[in-house]
Amino acid sequence: MSLIDIEQGRPRDVVLMGRVTLDFNPNEIHRTLDKVKTFSMYLGGSPGNMAVGISRLGKKVGFIGCVSDDRFGDFALNYFRSCGIDTSRMVRAKNGERMGLTFTEIKSPAESSILMYRDRAADLMLTPQDVSEEYIASAKILIVSGTALAASPSREACLLAARYARKHGTRIIFDIDYRPYTWQSREEISIYYSLLAGMSDVIIGSRDEVNLTELLPEDAAEPADCLLADRYIANGSKIVIIKHGKKGSLAYTADHRAYRVSSFKVRLMKSFGGGDAYGSAFVYGLLEGWDVPRALQHATAHAAMVVASHSCSDAMQTAEEIAAFIREHADEKVITEIDWEEAL
Amino acid sequence: MSLIDIEQGRPRDVVLMGRVTLDFNPNEIHRTLDKVKTFSMYLGGSPGNMAVGISRLGKKVGFIGCVSDDRFGDFALNYFRSCGIDTSRMVRAKNGERMGLTFTEIKSPAESSILMYRDRAADLMLTPQDVSEEYIASAKILIVSGTALAASPSREACLLAARYARKHGTRIIFDIDYRPYTWQSREEISIYYSLLAGMSDVIIGSRDEVNLTELLPEDAAEPADCLLADRYIANGSKIVIIKHGKKGSLAYTADHRAYRVSSFKVRLMKSFGGGDAYGSAFVYGLLEGWDVPRALQHATAHAAMVVASHSCSDAMQTAEEIAAFIREHADEKVITEIDWEEAL
Amino acid sequence: MSLIDIEQGRPRDVVLMGRVTLDFNPNEIHRTLDKVKTFSMYLGGSPGNMAVGISRLGKKVGFIGCVSDDRFGDFALNYFRSCGIDTSRMVRAKNGERMGLTFTEIKSPAESSILMYRDRAADLMLTPQDVSEEYIASAKILIVSGTALAASPSREACLLAARYARKHGTRIIFDIDYRPYTWQSREEISIYYSLLAGMSDVIIGSRDEVNLTELLPEDAAEPADCLLADRYIANGSKIVIIKHGKKGSLAYTADHRAYRVSSFKVRLMKSFGGGDAYGSAFVYGLLEGWDVPRALQHATAHAAMVVASHSCSDAMQTAEEIAAFIREHADEKVITEIDWEEAL
Amino acid sequence: MSLIDIEQGRPRDVVLMGRVTLDFNPNEIHRTLDKVKTFSMYLGGSPGNMAVGISRLGKKVGFIGCVSDDRFGDFALNYFRSCGIDTSRMVRAKNGERMGLTFTEIKSPAESSILMYRDRAADLMLTPQDVSEEYIASAKILIVSGTALAASPSREACLLAARYARKHGTRIIFDIDYRPYTWQSREEISIYYSLLAGMSDVIIGSRDEVNLTELLPEDAAEPADCLLADRYIANGSKIVIIKHGKKGSLAYTADHRAYRVSSFKVRLMKSFGGGDAYGSAFVYGLLEGWDVPRALQHATAHAAMVVASHSCSDAMQTAEEIAAFIREHADEKVITEIDWEEAL
């Protein structure tokens, strides 16, 4: 019996909610942003990237989101459609709100930073009225990005979608995905993150993001990851993945098994985009009915492949490509089962 | 064993959260507001009135709220202190926000309406940072008014307080107390009302308010009250009271008993204020360890006494006065145990 | 020949623009506001009071303003109509904005302070589209209250009205009437006050208000009043009145005459409302074609009569009553012609 | 004697006020924006471009403006400095406001459109407190862009700067430069445009922009250009330039002479940027003391050179380059003196 009981007969594998934005990545890299002359435009936003990733892996994907009513909104919808993502539930912002933008500074392979345009971003204009109970009920999995909780009415759209998912047995994956925009206080972050976490089957976040969720100090290392996982699992979650950047990540499951996940060795092009690739392949593994270690192996492989390329969405791989990558790196052991209390 | 397991050793009986406002009641009554020449000023706001009511009944009451930094804020704090309410957790609005105001139109004994000033009301400026975990933990009961969920940051302050209450075994009473101000959509109302209802031991609301909570049509009579009570009780609530205006109210308890509550016969002065009196006396009964029918009898008696007077807060009664009233009306049977499925 | 050339053939004597609000004056006086139990409601707002005052003096008055779409808005319109003021250009706020409120604290006969509700006040919602060029053109005099310049769109409504007035030869009286609400900076105040002053035939303000207009330090006594009057007169103004509270006021005219105005001796009831009475009677004098000293005498008489009573609007007097008052106080010399450079 | 009496002894030739933004021009042109893959980033915004243009022509230029407190703000300041523009009066936005962005769609050589990001744009955050009277007084000419009047506090900063300019004899050039963002109504536009126009020595705008200024219907052709010029000149302006797109423009001067200005024949790269080039060279001519026809000839030459290139700011030319261009096109007669009443 699987850890997560997925309703197999449903027409759609995954529905995602959250931001779809535009990434402007510098063509002249390894310099600060004010020295850049030209940028390449890609579809972006963590859940947008994951939608593309999961779709490229061959799954049926739908998205509930809001884009601008301008050429950039056209771009996002066209890109989604070209990937085979269902856009029937995508809406347009009604009051001239623009797409969120992310200008990426790639100062060196290891140092990236971003300059975001998120004032009145179109994605945050999604309303609870835009959320179809039937559509949520038709999906096996709902993925909610924590950034969508950062402001109303997108916040309420997500809370309502999660309520519908719980009612209809749609599994919820909460990708904490913290961005320091539009939140009013650390307390506010914790309130909404912990509400969503409390409704989720799978929780994925960095240790920093888990600290935010639990209203712990920013760099708290205590309580240990396994104790936090205990809390979530006691509360009903089945899988808890806590990431620690370059040091790898830890995965805890409701059958009381724990795994350490390391990175494959690749030449880094940029230090972002890996998380979305990781999430996409992990969800793919869950949908395939794989055991957790195998899903994690594909996740970390996919992450390695994407950070070695210029974009996030465009660089998403097929299942065959990931499999080939893993075969090529067969000598690297990246997944290790560990004791529950063992730290990274 | 009691339905609701109250932690007896705690220093404070009740902590309330929500709005404290000013009521301006017309001295020239039975006319529309534009014909009024003079008004009397009282402390108001449903949770403010309940705080006064419970305190007058002899219980130890604290309030977590925000008032204006002006003479009217002084008035509210002074009034609370004169009632023996602990104001150590009351804060002042920092950006010139004013107290909410309610001008009451008493057109006839049965027809009242109100004109509210709630733009940037000071009470909605309460932040989650103003909520002390220790203070919540020191109380037997936390009462949250639904109006405090109508806007941020007061909304988050309440959600955090409820989380603390759950963590520390402080019982939660959710008084839905709907006011049509600052809410953005019916979906938004339902999302936050149902979050709070899902965390509460006692839920008190009119049928209209329950419809809002459940995202049902405004005047839905289906599903029946008892079926909605079933849902809340299945979810962990112990007592559910659904009010039907002049027709009386129905109370459902987790031990599967149901009661019909009628009104005592009094000469009506105005058609508002009864709810706060009802709630105050019911909470008093719970704290006294009374059984539900006895608590309900005192609740409806207190309500009758208050609607026969000019104000809400000033008209709150002592326990002796309520007892005397009940003795005088000994021939009126207002509480009847009914079958679970029986309608009003 | 008159100082101010008024177009005599026009159907309306005066059109006013600015706030109409509600005054709540305490019935229990000589105490702080938090000790008050009952309030009397009056129509208020400086231009609202002046409209009432000029109308009671027998002139044809119209008002361009915005009131709330509720019972209090009804009250204001009904009151205006009962005074014979034309309300055909009054509009209702469209988005639930409420009437501004002023709660007056009458701590002692000489010490008054106010607590204002001006967040999203209905009066500030007047738009330039609500201003009829034809209506302005049909009036002899346009009176603009500086408070109406405090926020958009009321600010633009006034600027447009002044432009129409200049185009059609309607004389402009600028009553600076400063209130410390909704303004963003001293620079902003100065910008708009000086724009209006530059378009006006008559400027009336306290020395403090003139300092704000000229971006001078708050309590600047230099340059002397007469030098500031020189500036305005050089710029086209005909009469400049600078008030100094209890010390009286100074009036400068374009024919290079200056007058000192003292107060009649009355028993003070409250320290506000005098300014509106003063302005009303002065405008009445201008319309009657009186010379400036006579108009000033009536102005200061009217002021004295109103500060001796409980309200502003309700206390406005008829021309006969003012004349009688002046006869009774015939032994008090309140108007003195002085040298231009003479200080108060 | 010159039409416009410029104070020659001043240390700075021109101070500009208004927006500095970033232009993102597509590298793949002649397609809609959603088909573009890469963009080149340039400094933009009409007054920003003009500052660069005038500086490249060898004049001493200063700018009073607000940029973002991020890498893009660095870019703007660095670019200005590299052009020799004085940035000592440039300020940084204090609350995280971002640079305005303009994504240009070059659908065909003749069809351009733009997608602007102007929500809470940093340039509109300039406050009147940021405007130094001394700095304005030290300049020969102040150029105000109408877009800076679109919202507070930038609006008030410009009104104050214009007041200082009038006080100190700094000549004012008003470039109407209309952008349909943040304005609330046509009336609002007209109010502020006509205030600035009434204070200006030189007014430059398209016929559409003049219609907005005069509150005329959008495509009004009546009253004729010359009648509108009469109004402005009667009101104190010395030069009025009304542009008619590809048909050329008309210039009217206070000595009652009128000129028709045609375009030089060039191969169009894009249909924007010409206006800023035109303005820059015209101001240069005024500063050089040239007669109006010669200044206009250089203006239209500069415009032709810039529309033939990819950017606006980067494409600004030197005086020698413009002179060379005019020599090469010596056979094209672009400036014709016409009768005052003659239409285009």
Side-chain angles (χ1 to χ4, degrees):
Chain A
M1 202 213 84
S2 175
L3 262 174
I4 295 181
D5 184 28
I6 291 174
E7 297 279 349
Q8 291 302 341
R10 299 190 172 181
R12 204 168 311 285
D13 292 307
V14 179
V15 166
L16 296 100
M17 288 188 78
R19 73 188 191 285
V20 182
T21 57
L22 299 185
D23 283 353
F24 284 82
N25 291 354
N27 295 325
E28 301 80 30
I29 60 173
H30 302 165
R31 62 181 70 182
T32 54
L33 208 47
D34 54 305
K35 304 290 190 303
V36 172
K37 293 198 177 310
T38 68
F39 293 88
S40 293
M41 175 169 73
Y42 300 101
L43 184 121
S46 180
N49 290 337
M50 284 183 66
V52 171
I54 299 168
S55 184
R56 197 151 296 155
L57 288 163
K59 296 300 176 187
K60 292 198 196 72
V61 175
F63 206 102
I64 301 175
C66 181
V67 296
S68 61
D69 195 11
D70 59 25
R71 295 280 198 211
F72 281 169
D74 298 347
F75 171 80
L77 293 186
N78 290 340
Y79 190 87
F80 264 8
R81 285 178 197 129
S82 76
C83 296
I85 296 166
D86 179 55
T87 59
S88 64
R89 303 295 161 160
M90 297 294 290
V91 297
R92 297 278 194 161
K94 290 177 182 62
N95 300 301
E97 294 90 351
R98 300 290 189 200
M99 299 292 286
L101 304 180
T102 304
F103 295 89
T104 313
E105 178 173 285
I106 306 178
K107 210 168 159 185
S108 75
E111 291 171 283
S112 294
S113 64
I114 55 178
L115 195 166
M116 273 196 168
Y117 276 69
R118 290 207 52 72
D119 270 342
R120 287 182 70 222
D123 57 89
L124 293 171
M125 301 301 137
L126 188 76
T127 69
Q129 296 92 309
D130 296 325
V131 176
S132 155
E133 180 167 357
E134 190 188 19
Y135 197 70
I136 301 286
S138 76
K140 296 174 187 166
I141 289 175
L142 171 70
I143 301 179
V144 177
S145 157
T147 297
L149 296 166
S152 297
S154 164
R155 173 183 293 168
E156 287 77 30
C158 291
L159 291 171
L160 187 61
R163 184 161 109 186
Y164 289 148
R166 297 278 288 184
K167 179 171 169 191
H168 294 285
T170 305
R171 298 301 148 209
I172 302 177
I173 298 180
F174 179 41
D175 183 17
I176 305 182
D177 181 31
Y178 171 69
R179 296 292 177 190
Y181 297 91
T182 71
W183 291 105
Q184 299 302 304
S185 67
R186 286 178 63 84
E187 284 78 5
E188 189 191 36
I189 297 171
S190 170
I191 288 160
Y192 293 104
Y193 280 1
S194 59
L195 275 175
L196 238 297
M199 302 168 87
S200 297
D201 299 277
V202 180
I203 298 167
I204 305 177
S206 68
R207 175 68 205 214
D208 288 355
E209 290 173 336
V210 172
N211 285 343
L212 282 168
T213 306
E214 298 298 307
L215 203 38
L216 294 168
E218 213 166 323
D219 53 358
E222 299 295 325
D225 289 10
C226 63
L227 295 175
L228 295 171
D230 278 334
R231 274 191 211 171
Y232 294 126
I233 288 169
N235 200 36
S237 296
K238 303 300 183 199
I239 304 176
V240 177
I241 298 177
I242 301 178
K243 303 190 228 174
H244 290 264
K246 295 171 209 160
K247 294 198 281 178
S249 53
L250 294 169
Y252 301 90
T253 59
D255 56 2
H256 210 68
R257 303 180 82 162
Y259 306 91
R260 181 170 56 228
V261 186
S262 309
S263 301
F264 281 101
K265 291 184 185 65
V266 290
R267 186 197 186 91
L268 206 64
M269 167 79 169
K270 62 187 191 309
S271 56
F272 58 92
D276 303 335
Y278 185 108
S280 310
F282 185 72
V283 171
Y284 173 77
L286 291 184
L287 285 163
E288 288 291 290
W290 293 350
D291 58 24
V292 167
R294 187 175 173 199
L296 288 169
Q297 185 193 34
H298 275 66
T300 191
H302 198 194
M305 296 172 82
V306 166
V307 293
S309 73
H310 189 250
S311 88
C312 299
S313 50
D314 272 16
M316 292 292 175
Q317 308 291 309
T318 63
E320 295 68 35
E321 289 166 332
I322 299 175
F325 178 93
I326 290 174
R327 282 194 304 273
E328 283 166 34
H329 293 73
D331 54 332
E332 297 180 39
K333 180 169 171 54
V334 295
I335 309 298
T336 315
E337 183 163 0
I338 57 172
D339 285 341
W340 190 262
E341 290 79 11
E342 204 175 323
L344 196 65
Chain B
M1 199 213 87
S2 174
L3 263 173
I4 294 180
D5 184 29
I6 291 174
E7 297 279 349
Q8 292 302 341
R10 298 190 173 181
R12 205 168 310 284
D13 293 305
V14 179
V15 166
L16 297 101
M17 287 187 78
R19 72 188 192 285
V20 182
T21 57
L22 299 185
D23 283 353
F24 285 81
N25 291 354
N27 295 325
E28 301 79 32
I29 60 173
H30 302 167
R31 62 181 68 183
T32 54
L33 208 47
D34 54 305
K35 304 291 189 302
V36 171
K37 294 199 176 309
T38 68
F39 292 88
S40 294
M41 176 168 73
Y42 299 101
L43 184 121
S46 179
N49 290 336
M50 284 184 65
V52 172
I54 300 170
S55 185
R56 197 152 298 155
L57 287 164
K59 296 300 176 186
K60 293 199 196 73
V61 175
F63 207 101
I64 302 175
C66 182
V67 296
S68 60
D69 196 10
D70 59 26
R71 295 278 199 211
F72 281 170
D74 298 346
F75 171 80
L77 293 187
N78 290 341
Y79 190 87
F80 264 9
R81 285 179 198 130
S82 75
C83 296
I85 297 167
D86 179 56
T87 59
S88 64
R89 303 295 160 160
M90 298 293 291
V91 297
R92 298 277 195 163
K94 290 177 183 60
N95 300 300
E97 295 90 352
R98 299 289 189 200
M99 298 293 285
L101 305 179
T102 303
F103 295 89
T104 313
E105 177 174 285
I106 306 178
K107 211 169 157 184
S108 76
E111 291 171 284
S112 293
S113 64
I114 55 178
L115 196 165
M116 272 196 169
Y117 276 69
R118 289 207 51 74
D119 271 342
R120 289 181 69 223
D123 57 89
L124 293 171
M125 301 302 136
L126 188 76
T127 71
Q129 296 92 308
D130 296 324
V131 177
S132 154
E133 180 168 356
E134 190 188 17
Y135 197 69
I136 301 286
S138 75
K140 296 175 186 166
I141 290 176
L142 172 70
I143 300 179
V144 178
S145 157
T147 296
L149 296 166
S152 297
S154 164
R155 174 184 290 168
E156 287 76 31
C158 291
L159 291 171
L160 188 61
R163 185 161 109 187
Y164 289 149
R166 297 279 286 183
K167 181 172 167 189
H168 294 285
T170 305
R171 299 301 148 209
I172 302 177
I173 298 180
F174 179 41
D175 183 17
I176 305 181
D177 181 31
Y178 171 70
R179 295 292 179 191
Y181 297 91
T182 72
W183 291 104
Q184 301 300 305
S185 67
R186 286 178 62 83
E187 283 79 4
E188 190 191 34
I189 297 171
S190 170
I191 288 160
Y192 292 104
Y193 280 2
S194 59
L195 275 174
L196 239 298
M199 301 168 89
S200 296
D201 299 276
V202 179
I203 299 168
I204 305 177
S206 68
R207 175 67 206 213
D208 289 355
E209 290 173 337
V210 173
N211 285 343
L212 282 168
T213 306
E214 296 299 305
L215 204 39
L216 295 167
E218 214 165 323
D219 54 358
E222 298 295 326
D225 289 10
C226 64
L227 296 175
L228 294 171
D230 278 335
R231 273 191 211 170
Y232 295 127
I233 288 169
N235 201 36
S237 295
K238 302 302 181 197
I239 304 176
V240 177
I241 298 177
I242 302 178
K243 304 189 226 174
H244 290 263
K246 294 173 208 159
K247 293 200 283 179
S249 53
L250 294 170
Y252 301 90
T253 59
D255 56 1
H256 209 69
R257 304 180 81 161
Y259 307 91
R260 181 170 54 228
V261 186
S262 310
S263 301
F264 281 101
K265 290 184 186 63
V266 289
R267 186 196 185 91
L268 206 63
M269 166 82 169
K270 63 186 192 306
S271 56
F272 57 91
D276 303 335
Y278 185 109
S280 310
F282 186 73
V283 171
Y284 173 77
L286 290 184
L287 284 163
E288 289 290 290
W290 293 351
D291 59 22
V292 168
R294 186 174 175 201
L296 289 169
Q297 185 194 34
H298 276 65
T300 191
H302 198 195
M305 297 172 82
V306 167
V307 293
S309 73
H310 189 251
S311 88
C312 298
S313 49
D314 272 15
M316 292 292 175
Q317 308 291 310
T318 62
E320 294 67 36
E321 289 165 332
I322 299 175
F325 178 93
I326 290 174
R327 280 194 305 273
E328 283 166 34
H329 293 72
D331 55 332
E332 296 180 41
K333 179 169 172 55
V334 293
I335 309 297
T336 316
E337 183 161 2
I338 58 173
D339 283 342
W340 190 261
E341 290 80 12
E342 203 175 323
L344 198 63
Chain C
M1 199 214 86
S2 175
L3 263 174
I4 294 181
D5 184 29
I6 291 174
E7 297 279 348
Q8 291 302 342
R10 300 190 172 181
R12 206 168 308 285
D13 292 306
V14 179
V15 166
L16 296 101
M17 288 188 78
R19 72 187 193 286
V20 182
T21 58
L22 299 185
D23 283 353
F24 285 81
N25 292 355
N27 294 325
E28 300 79 34
I29 60 172
H30 303 165
R31 61 182 69 181
T32 54
L33 207 48
D34 55 304
K35 303 292 189 302
V36 171
K37 294 198 176 310
T38 67
F39 292 88
S40 294
M41 176 169 71
Y42 299 101
L43 184 121
S46 178
N49 291 336
M50 283 183 67
V52 171
I54 300 170
S55 185
R56 197 152 297 155
L57 288 163
K59 295 300 174 186
K60 293 200 196 72
V61 175
F63 208 100
I64 302 176
C66 182
V67 296
S68 61
D69 196 9
D70 58 26
R71 295 277 198 215
F72 282 169
D74 297 347
F75 171 80
L77 294 187
N78 290 341
Y79 190 86
F80 264 7
R81 285 180 198 129
S82 75
C83 296
I85 296 167
D86 179 55
T87 60
S88 64
R89 303 295 161 160
M90 297 294 290
V91 298
R92 297 277 195 163
K94 291 178 183 59
N95 299 301
E97 294 90 352
R98 300 290 189 201
M99 298 293 285
L101 304 179
T102 303
F103 294 89
T104 313
E105 178 174 285
I106 306 178
K107 212 168 157 185
S108 75
E111 291 171 284
S112 293
S113 64
I114 54 177
L115 196 166
M116 272 197 168
Y117 276 69
R118 290 208 50 75
D119 271 342
R120 288 181 69 223
D123 56 88
L124 293 170
M125 301 301 137
L126 188 77
T127 71
Q129 296 94 307
D130 296 325
V131 176
S132 155
E133 181 168 354
E134 189 188 17
Y135 197 70
I136 301 286
S138 75
K140 295 175 187 166
I141 290 177
L142 171 70
I143 301 179
V144 178
S145 156
T147 297
L149 296 167
S152 297
S154 164
R155 175 184 291 168
E156 287 77 30
C158 291
L159 291 171
L160 187 60
R163 186 162 107 186
Y164 290 149
R166 298 278 287 183
K167 182 172 167 188
H168 294 286
T170 306
R171 299 301 147 210
I172 303 177
I173 298 180
F174 179 41
D175 182 18
I176 305 182
D177 180 32
Y178 171 70
R179 296 292 179 190
Y181 298 92
T182 73
W183 291 104
Q184 300 301 304
S185 67
R186 286 178 61 84
E187 283 78 5
E188 190 191 35
I189 297 170
S190 170
I191 289 160
Y192 293 105
Y193 280 0
S194 58
L195 276 174
L196 239 298
M199 302 168 87
S200 298
D201 299 276
V202 179
I203 299 169
I204 305 177
S206 68
R207 174 69 204 213
D208 289 354
E209 290 173 336
V210 172
N211 285 342
L212 283 169
T213 306
E214 297 299 305
L215 203 39
L216 294 168
E218 214 165 324
D219 54 358
E222 299 294 324
D225 289 10
C226 63
L227 296 176
L228 295 171
D230 278 334
R231 276 192 209 170
Y232 295 126
I233 288 169
N235 200 36
S237 296
K238 303 301 182 199
I239 303 176
V240 177
I241 299 177
I242 302 179
K243 304 189 226 174
H244 290 264
K246 294 172 209 161
K247 294 198 283 177
S249 52
L250 294 170
Y252 301 90
T253 59
D255 55 2
H256 208 69
R257 304 180 81 161
Y259 306 91
R260 182 170 54 227
V261 186
S262 309
S263 301
F264 281 101
K265 290 184 187 65
V266 290
R267 187 196 184 91
L268 206 64
M269 166 82 170
K270 61 187 191 308
S271 56
F272 57 93
D276 304 335
Y278 185 108
S280 310
F282 185 72
V283 172
Y284 173 77
L286 291 184
L287 285 162
E288 290 290 291
W290 293 351
D291 58 23
V292 167
R294 186 172 174 202
L296 289 169
Q297 185 193 33
H298 275 65
T300 192
H302 198 193
M305 296 172 83
V306 167
V307 294
S309 73
H310 189 251
S311 89
C312 299
S313 51
D314 271 15
M316 292 293 174
Q317 308 291 310
T318 62
E320 294 69 34
E321 289 166 332
I322 299 176
F325 178 94
I326 290 174
R327 281 193 304 272
E328 285 166 32
H329 293 73
D331 55 332
E332 296 180 40
K333 178 170 172 56
V334 293
I335 309 296
T336 316
E337 184 163 0
I338 57 173
D339 284 341
W340 190 261
E341 290 79 13
E342 202 175 324
L344 197 62
Chain D
M1 201 212 87
S2 175
L3 263 174
I4 295 181
D5 184 30
I6 291 174
E7 296 280 348
Q8 291 302 341
R10 298 191 173 180
R12 207 168 309 284
D13 292 306
V14 179
V15 166
L16 296 100
M17 288 188 78
R19 72 189 192 284
V20 182
T21 57
L22 299 185
D23 284 353
F24 285 81
N25 291 355
N27 295 324
E28 301 80 31
I29 60 172
H30 302 166
R31 61 182 69 182
T32 54
L33 208 47
D34 55 306
K35 304 291 190 303
V36 171
K37 293 198 176 311
T38 67
F39 292 88
S40 294
M41 174 168 74
Y42 300 100
L43 183 121
S46 179
N49 291 336
M50 284 182 65
V52 172
I54 299 169
S55 184
R56 197 151 298 155
L57 288 163
K59 295 300 175 187
K60 292 198 197 73
V61 176
F63 208 101
I64 302 175
C66 182
V67 296
S68 61
D69 195 10
D70 59 24
R71 295 278 198 214
F72 282 169
D74 298 347
F75 171 80
L77 293 186
N78 290 340
Y79 190 87
F80 263 9
R81 285 177 198 132
S82 75
C83 295
I85 296 166
D86 179 55
T87 60
S88 64
R89 303 295 160 160
M90 298 293 292
V91 297
R92 298 278 195 161
K94 290 177 183 60
N95 299 301
E97 294 90 352
R98 300 290 189 200
M99 299 292 286
L101 304 180
T102 304
F103 294 90
T104 314
E105 179 174 283
I106 306 177
K107 211 169 159 184
S108 75
E111 292 171 283
S112 294
S113 63
I114 54 177
L115 195 165
M116 271 197 169
Y117 276 69
R118 292 209 46 77
D119 271 342
R120 288 182 70 221
D123 56 88
L124 293 171
M125 301 302 136
L126 189 76
T127 69
Q129 296 92 310
D130 296 324
V131 176
S132 154
E133 180 168 356
E134 189 188 19
Y135 197 69
I136 301 287
S138 75
K140 296 174 186 166
I141 289 176
L142 171 70
I143 301 179
V144 178
S145 158
T147 297
L149 296 167
S152 297
S154 164
R155 173 184 293 168
E156 287 77 29
C158 292
L159 291 172
L160 187 61
R163 185 161 108 187
Y164 289 148
R166 297 278 288 184
K167 179 172 169 190
H168 295 285
T170 305
R171 299 301 148 210
I172 302 177
I173 298 180
F174 179 41
D175 183 18
I176 305 182
D177 181 31
Y178 171 69
R179 295 292 179 190
Y181 297 90
T182 71
W183 291 105
Q184 301 300 304
S185 67
R186 286 177 62 83
E187 283 79 4
E188 189 191 36
I189 298 171
S190 170
I191 288 160
Y192 292 104
Y193 280 1
S194 58
L195 275 176
L196 238 298
M199 302 168 88
S200 297
D201 300 276
V202 180
I203 299 168
I204 305 178
S206 68
R207 174 69 205 213
D208 289 355
E209 291 172 336
V210 172
N211 285 342
L212 283 168
T213 305
E214 297 299 306
L215 203 39
L216 294 167
E218 213 165 325
D219 53 358
E222 299 294 325
D225 289 11
C226 62
L227 296 175
L228 295 171
D230 278 334
R231 275 192 211 170
Y232 295 126
I233 288 169
N235 200 35
S237 295
K238 303 301 182 199
I239 304 176
V240 177
I241 299 177
I242 301 178
K243 304 189 225 176
H244 290 264
K246 293 173 209 161
K247 294 198 282 178
S249 52
L250 294 170
Y252 301 90
T253 59
D255 55 1
H256 209 67
R257 305 180 80 161
Y259 306 91
R260 180 169 57 228
V261 186
S262 310
S263 300
F264 281 100
K265 290 184 186 66
V266 289
R267 185 197 187 92
L268 207 63
M269 168 81 170
K270 61 186 192 310
S271 56
F272 58 92
D276 303 335
Y278 185 108
S280 310
F282 185 74
V283 171
Y284 173 77
L286 290 184
L287 285 162
E288 290 290 291
W290 293 351
D291 58 24
V292 168
R294 187 175 175 199
L296 289 169
Q297 184 193 34
H298 275 66
T300 191
H302 198 196
M305 296 172 82
V306 166
V307 294
S309 73
H310 190 250
S311 87
C312 299
S313 50
D314 271 16
M316 292 292 174
Q317 308 291 310
T318 62
E320 294 68 35
E321 289 165 333
I322 298 175
F325 178 93
I326 290 174
R327 281 193 305 272
E328 282 167 34
H329 293 74
D331 55 332
E332 297 180 41
K333 179 169 172 57
V334 294
I335 309 297
T336 315
E337 183 162 1
I338 58 174
D339 284 342
W340 191 261
E341 291 78 12
E342 202 176 325
L344 197 65

